Amino acid sequence: MNHNLLIPFLIFILIFVFYIIFEYVFRQSVLKSISTKRDISLPFITSFKWQPKWTVYLILSPGLWVSENCKEFIKNEFPHNIIYKRELANFIKASNFWNFIFSLSLLVVTLFREDILPEINNSIFLAIVMWRYISRSFEIAIAFVRDVLSSDSKSSLDNHARMKLAITSYFEIFIYSAAFYSAFSCKGETIFEPILTSLFVGTLTNISGALELLINCCEYDLFYKSLLLLSVYLQVFATLSLIFFGFAGYLGRVKSNIKKSTHSSLMRAYRKSRARYLPKHR
């Protein structure tokens, strides 16, 4: 690895540590925003646990790793099962909303970077955008897959609430992916180009356009070009995971609940009618 690539690589690693700190501060703020009746100002970092299965979470998605520790903190704060499920649902909905707002803000910054942050180091800015793109993509995909495959719901979220979260996350994938394409595309591109590129990739209509957009201005060697091109498929992975495991899974749950409700209603009606015509014993 030559000197020109070593510095961006070291910055990328340092920003990884910075992003973990950012996620901690972000989730702490979300916890405080939902704690209207109970003081949880104590930094939840005191309840952090290192579980071997979370090591992969930390590498792929610092946001997911911090979020799992937040859920453990909520579980310790609210041992009663019903209250815990309610507070966990509030945390999930608040995190989903504020993540959407942050991704939208990041897109605005990347589109108008020269006006908003003209003096920021280019490598630092690209590393921040890249880690947000990687972390949030894996967080959304893994979270929804786990939720659908789980036999027992840990929160009090119903299917309607879960569907709303999935829709918000779908649009968020499109937004932070547009920020990624905007940051790594040529400076001469219009502000609409990365937005349209993200839309095309998210709808699986034109992935090759995103590959061309990124490769045209890539100044690195073949290894870094390959990593940059592979990152496009991360949006595809997050989108497909959300569609198949999120939307399809929740629709399946709704149909299953309807069948169960219909079956229960028929059984109650059958028992009533049967009891009506059976002879009464004296």
Side-chain angles (χ1 to χ4, degrees), residues 8-104:
F9 177 76
L10 293 177
I11 292 176
F12 185 73
I13 299 300
L14 290 175
I15 294 300
F16 171 73
V17 178
F18 166 80
Y19 191 78
I20 295 176
I21 298 173
F22 162 77
E23 282 289 352
Y24 165 74
V25 175
F26 175 75
R27 307 290 172 160
Q28 178 76 13
S29 300
V30 173
L31 282 173
K32 288 184 177 181
S33 69
I34 64 173
S35 61
T36 56
K37 296 182 179 180
R38 185 166 178 172
D39 183 18
I40 55 173
S41 59
L42 177 68
F44 72 91
I45 195 172
T46 56
S47 64
F48 268 31
K49 296 180 180 179
W50 186 263
Q51 300 187 22
K53 65 178 181 179
W54 289 0
T55 305
V56 179
Y57 293 168
L58 177 60
I59 297 173
L60 296 178
S61 175
L64 180 61
W65 180 73
V66 177
S67 179
E68 290 298 317
N69 278 283
C70 276
K71 293 174 183 179
E72 286 293 322
F73 175 79
I74 294 174
K75 186 176 182 179
N76 295 332
E77 283 282 300
F78 306 98
H80 192 278
N81 189 50
I82 296 178
I83 300 177
Y84 160 67
K85 286 189 172 185
R86 184 189 64 200
E87 293 298 325
L88 181 59
N90 291 335
F91 171 75
I92 293 173
K93 289 187 288 186
S95 295
N96 184 266
F97 172 77
W98 287 113
N99 268 304
F100 179 86
I101 296 300
F102 178 77
S103 295
L104 184 60

Side-chain angles (χ1 to χ4, degrees), residues 11-241:
I11 292 176
F12 185 73
I13 299 300
L14 290 175
I15 294 300
F16 171 73
V17 178
F18 166 80
Y19 191 78
I20 295 176
I21 298 173
F22 162 77
E23 282 289 352
Y24 165 74
V25 175
F26 175 75
R27 307 290 172 160
Q28 178 76 13
S29 300
V30 173
L31 282 173
K32 288 184 177 181
S33 69
I34 64 173
S35 61
T36 56
K37 296 182 179 180
R38 185 166 178 172
D39 183 18
I40 55 173
S41 59
L42 177 68
F44 72 91
I45 195 172
T46 56
S47 64
F48 268 31
K49 296 180 180 179
W50 186 263
Q51 300 187 22
K53 65 178 181 179
W54 289 0
T55 305
V56 179
Y57 293 168
L58 177 60
I59 297 173
L60 296 178
S61 175
L64 180 61
W65 180 73
V66 177
S67 179
E68 290 298 317
N69 278 283
C70 276
K71 293 174 183 179
E72 286 293 322
F73 175 79
I74 294 174
K75 186 176 182 179
N76 295 332
E77 283 282 300
F78 306 98
H80 192 278
N81 189 50
I82 296 178
I83 300 177
Y84 160 67
K85 286 189 172 185
R86 184 189 64 200
E87 293 298 325
L88 181 59
N90 291 335
F91 171 75
I92 293 173
K93 289 187 288 186
S95 295
N96 184 266
F97 172 77
W98 287 113
N99 268 304
F100 179 86
I101 296 300
F102 178 77
S103 295
L104 184 60
S105 302
L106 185 63
L107 174 59
V108 174
V109 171
T110 55
L111 291 176
F112 304 99
R113 176 187 164 190
E114 294 182 357
D115 298 325
I116 300 176
L117 298 172
E119 298 180 357
I120 189 173
N121 181 273
N122 186 61
S123 298
I124 294 177
F125 181 76
L126 293 180
I128 293 174
V129 174
M130 175 63 83
W131 270 119
R132 176 63 181 180
Y133 178 71
I134 296 173
S135 177
R136 192 60 182 146
S137 294
F138 279 112
E139 181 180 1
I140 291 175
I142 295 174
F144 278 98
V145 169
R146 287 176 54 196
D147 184 58
V148 171
L149 297 181
S150 177
S151 58
D152 184 28
S153 178
K154 294 183 179 180
S155 68
S156 61
L157 293 170
D158 55 17
N159 285 325
H160 178 70
R162 284 183 165 88
M163 186 63 71
K164 289 178 63 177
L165 294 175
I167 293 174
T168 303
S169 296
Y170 179 80
F171 284 106
E172 188 189 350
I173 293 173
F174 158 72
I175 290 172
Y176 69 68
S177 297
F180 169 75
Y181 297 127
S182 176
F184 285 89
S185 62
C186 300
K187 294 182 179 179
E189 301 289 346
T190 64
I191 63 174
F192 301 105
E193 187 70 20
I195 297 176
L196 292 175
T197 300
S198 180
L199 178 63
F200 292 149
V201 175
T203 54
L204 307 178
T205 54
N206 186 11
I207 299 177
S208 61
L211 300 177
E212 294 177 1
L213 181 69
L214 295 177
I215 202 66
N216 286 339
C217 300
C218 185
E219 301 174 352
Y220 300 140
D221 60 7
L222 181 60
F223 175 73
Y224 278 87
K225 285 183 180 180
S226 301
L227 291 180
L228 197 59
L229 294 179
L230 285 175
S231 63
V232 174
Y233 294 97
L234 193 55
Q235 181 186 0
V236 178
F237 167 72
T239 303
L240 291 179
S241 298

